[in-house]
Amino acid sequence: MTITNKKIVTLLVMIVSCASTYAQLTLNIGKDSQLRKLQIAEIAINNYYVDSVDESKLVEDAIKGMLEKLDPHSSYTDAKETKALNEPLNGDFEGIGVQFNIIDDSLVVIQPTVNGPSEKVGIVAGDRIVTVNDTIIAGVKMERSEIVKKLRGKKGTMVKLGVRRNGVDKMLFFNVKRDKIPMHTVNAAYMIDQQTGYVRLESFGAKTYDELMDAIEQLKKQGLRRLVLDLQDNGGGYLESAVRIANEFLDGGDMIVYTEGRKAGRREYKAIGNGKLKDMPVVVLTNELTASAAEIVSGAIQDHDRGIIVGRRTFGKGLVQRPLDLPDGSMIRLTISHYYTPSGRCIQKPYKKGEKKDYQMDLENRLKHGELTNPDSIHFADSLKCYTLKKHRTVYGGGGIMPDVFVPLDTMKYTAMHRKLSAKSIIINHDLKFMDKNRKELKKKYPDFKSFDEGFVVPEELTEAIMADGEKEGIKPADDNERMRTVAALTVQLKALVARDLWDMNEYFQIWNRQSDIVRKGVEAFDSLRF
């Protein structure tokens, strides 16, 4: 075999060899093969180009170039990016187990993971991690990604942390043994009233089904009789997770979703009939950022007239990607088929191959055209008309899931001043400083969420400090009315943030959702609509 032929074989292996996925794949590499042109080009550049080149980068750029001409969701990620993308869906990562934020160039622990490595050795909320294995990370303007890299590591490895704690003069040192740290996809689960439970799913990961069912069991003990399933801002995840969750609500044999593509034949996913929630009234909350697996669940529940969808039209991500693992840990996610709801609606919104900019502007265009604020601005062609499978109600394809009850985006709820304060991180920074100074006192005064919810009032000096810092940045209210509305919004937001910092996201949403129009309309839907 010549050197040139060896390089051709090597390149082929780099590009398309993935034994687990392509064991049956064969290549016809003739003199007229388009793939051969690519090989010759790579070999020629690598061997004869005037300057030195990075061969691996050449191959990566070629792969990216091909994928960019396809649909908006086919993509390539290098080994590092692939690992980072997979961690949230896999349900855990390996590290020291702390939630943290950066205050004045210092890492401040917001909450240690319950029974996690850091909590076990005595690290508490409010601690400042100053050194990691004798490397100073405070006051050196280190990138957040670099700090995370130093804290994370393989399970069982040790890391030495130097900690500053309020009230303690000397530096404290802790030897922490890294471990598996769970990443939860159920953000919140609580009772809105005596019979209505609320569960919010952040994404559909490997452990989401188990987390959801555990949350449901806990809510049943508190009187759960009807469920609000919040899928707002849920960008999706694993198909298998969505199918298992939809199965809980449907009868045996009910179609959940099917996929079909040019080379991939039709594949159907149906309910088994063993669901524990088949008789429970359910309302699903969606918005313009609800996508993919979240749209599968929403579409299945709507098409079978199993529940009510409340909110705004979903994102419209209905393309199925097959992950292709490459030998160096990188990955191609290649679109192979479309998702279809049980009534035959294609979830994917329209797109033009290779034109990602227009696709990425879709949500902004929806806002400009009034779709997010007025249902009359949404128009569907008759050719997209479908019917639900039980009650034969009219629903439409053409991209995303249109809700049964439309809730407009309230563009007036937050003032221009409030949005600017948020964009400049002035609100979150003041919250973190407030917690850093008052955490111990707040914990002592409010031992549980109930006492906090009933008794805590956001100090006026906190909102005034935020407004004053805003003015220093040139962020000023247009008039007294805007100032008053901004302070009112800040008061709700800050109380929710303090609750999050004292407990977790569950408590945050219990406060935040009280001013949510979609949540309110979702609860009202139980009384106004029959299931």
Side-chain angles (χ1 to χ4, degrees), residues 188-200 215-216 218-230 280-285 506 510 513 518-528 531:
Y190 64 91
M191 295 296 292
I192 294 177
D193 55 41
Q194 291 184 342
Q195 61 176 338
T196 310
Y198 169 94
V199 178
R200 182 183 178 95
I216 294 294
Q218 292 303 313
L219 293 180
K220 282 182 176 179
K221 294 176 183 178
Q222 302 173 51
L224 174 68
R225 293 177 56 194
R226 57 191 196 182
L227 176 66
V228 174
L229 182 63
D230 191 348
M280 180 172 290
V282 59
V283 165
V284 180
L285 308 182
N506 189 64
Q510 287 190 58
N513 282 341
I518 290 183
V519 173
R520 177 172 55 82
K521 287 288 188 180
V523 174
E524 291 175 359
F526 286 112
D527 299 323
S528 62
F531 292 86

Side-chain angles (χ1 to χ4, degrees), residues 112-366:
T113 302
V114 177
N115 295 322
S118 292
E119 186 185 68
K120 287 178 180 178
V121 299
I123 292 175
V124 299
D127 281 351
R128 277 177 161 78
I129 299 179
V130 178
T131 63
V132 180
N133 287 335
D134 299 323
T135 298
I136 297 174
I137 65 170
V140 294
K141 299 189 181 299
M142 186 177 291
E143 292 289 335
R144 189 184 182 98
S145 59
E146 279 300 307
I147 294 175
V148 171
K149 185 177 179 181
K150 290 182 180 298
L151 295 176
R152 290 187 179 181
K154 290 185 177 180
K155 177 182 177 180
T157 58
M158 301 295 297
V159 59
K160 181 182 178 182
L161 304 179
V163 171
R164 289 287 186 186
R165 181 174 293 170
N166 286 338
V168 179
D169 294 332
K170 295 182 178 180
M171 179 99 77
L172 302 175
F173 292 94
F174 299 90
N175 291 311
V176 183
K177 187 176 183 179
R178 296 184 178 100
D179 203 347
K180 287 278 187 182
I181 309 300
M183 296 182 69
H184 298 293
T185 53
V186 173
N187 281 145
Y190 64 91
M191 295 296 292
I192 294 177
D193 55 41
Q194 291 184 342
Q195 61 176 338
T196 310
Y198 169 94
V199 178
R200 182 183 178 95
L201 300 186
E202 180 180 53
S203 61
F204 286 80
K207 299 181 180 180
T208 302
Y209 171 80
D210 292 331
E211 287 184 45
L212 173 63
M213 298 313 293
D214 287 345
I216 294 294
E217 288 304 312
Q218 292 303 313
L219 293 180
K220 282 182 176 179
K221 294 176 183 178
Q222 302 173 51
L224 174 68
R225 293 177 56 194
R226 57 191 196 182
L227 176 66
V228 174
L229 182 63
D230 191 348
L231 300 183
Q232 294 180 86
D233 304 329
N234 185 315
Y238 289 140
L239 169 64
E240 292 78 7
S241 180
V243 168
R244 292 186 71 189
I245 289 172
N247 174 72
E248 289 297 316
F249 296 96
L250 302 176
D251 292 326
D254 283 351
M255 180 76 73
I256 295 172
V257 66
Y258 67 91
T259 64
E260 197 165 14
R262 181 176 65 92
K263 291 289 188 178
R266 175 166 169 146
R267 184 173 181 183
E268 300 180 345
Y269 298 83
K270 295 184 178 182
I272 300 171
N274 61 345
K276 298 178 180 178
L277 306 175
K278 290 191 296 182
D279 298 321
M280 180 172 290
V282 59
V283 165
V284 180
L285 308 182
T286 67
N287 66 5
E288 56 280 0
L289 296 178
T290 303
S292 190
E295 293 175 290
I296 290 172
V297 173
S298 305
I301 288 176
Q302 186 180 55
D303 279 4
H304 288 288
D305 295 293
R306 177 59 188 82
I308 302 300
I309 312 300
V310 175
R312 293 183 290 278
R313 181 163 71 95
T314 60
F315 183 85
K317 197 278 187 184
L319 297 175
V320 184
Q321 280 75 52
R322 174 177 289 175
L324 312 176
D325 298 303
L326 300 177
D328 62 351
S330 60
M331 177 182 286
I332 293 173
R333 287 179 170 83
L334 185 66
T335 297
I336 61 168
S337 55
H338 288 84
Y339 287 126
Y340 295 88
T341 72
S343 67
R345 292 182 287 167
C346 181
I347 292 174
Q348 178 61 40
K349 61 187 175 185
Y351 64 89
K352 293 181 180 179
K353 291 180 180 178
E355 297 185 13
K356 292 188 178 181
K357 185 176 180 181
D358 288 343
Y359 187 82
Q360 292 165 349
M361 293 291 290
D362 177 62
L363 294 183
E364 186 173 331
N365 290 334
R366 288 195 203 183

Side-chain angles (χ1 to χ4, degrees), residues 370-385:
E371 180 185 323
L372 301 184
T373 55
N374 190 339
D376 293 336
S377 299
I378 306 169
H379 304 287
F380 295 102
D382 287 341
S383 59
L384 300 174
K385 188 179 295 185

Side-chain angles (χ1 to χ4, degrees), residues 12-27:
L12 282 173
V13 171
M14 289 177 63
I15 296 177
V16 300
S17 174
C18 176
S20 61
T21 308
Y22 288 109
Q24 305 301 317
L25 183 64
T26 58
L27 295 171

